[in-house]
Amino acid sequence: MTTSIPINQAKADLFRTLGHPVRIRVLELLVERPTPVRDLLATIDVESSNLSQQLAVLRRAGLVTSTREGSLVVYSVTTAAVADLLVAGRAILASLWSDTEGLLHELRDGN
């Protein structure tokens, strides 16, 4: 990302990059450990071409990097902050969903 754009624009670009379920799943796997493409394909139910496209988006955004180990291409996250972001996303969703669950209980109880 370039620093010549406003920070709010840079953040919007980052969140757009994260706006695809396959990209999120890839990042979840990569924060655990660097992973070869073949293992990502075995874990994520997508076509090889789709995974390749999503990895390219993440690479262009600077969130992942690839290295070649013999015949394997291994991907890893570029910063541990990616894990923090994913944890924050889960926490936000848990908070939102728990509020919804409480409202459902109130509606069922007639309060």
Side-chain angles (χ1 to χ4, degrees):
M1 282 188 202
T2 178
T3 57
S4 63
I5 61 173
I7 190 69
N8 61 330
Q9 180 64 50
K11 286 180 184 180
D13 292 344
L14 172 64
F15 286 116
R16 265 192 297 281
T17 298
L18 297 174
H20 194 285
V22 171
R23 290 183 217 140
I24 295 295
R25 185 66 183 127
V26 165
L27 291 173
E28 288 173 340
L29 294 169
L30 295 181
V31 297
E32 293 175 12
R33 69 183 188 292
T35 307
V37 172
R38 69 172 187 201
D39 293 355
L40 292 171
L41 276 171
T43 305
I44 304 170
D45 186 29
V46 296
E47 295 291 324
S48 174
S49 60
N50 188 359
L51 179 61
S52 180
Q53 288 174 339
Q54 303 312 324
L55 286 167
V57 170
L58 292 170
R59 208 173 37 248
R60 280 192 304 272
L63 295 173
V64 301
T65 188
S66 64
T67 56
R68 186 166 287 283
E69 295 179 7
S71 64
L72 297 177
V73 177
V74 178
Y75 278 84
S76 58
V77 293
T78 56
T79 174
V82 171
D84 297 337
L85 181 60
L86 294 172
V87 167
R90 284 180 184 260
I92 291 167
L93 289 174
S95 174
L96 294 172
W97 291 343
S98 69
D99 290 348
T100 302
E101 201 170 295
L103 289 172
L104 286 174
H105 286 293
E106 286 182 36
L107 286 170
R108 287 185 187 132
D109 293 342
N111 294 333

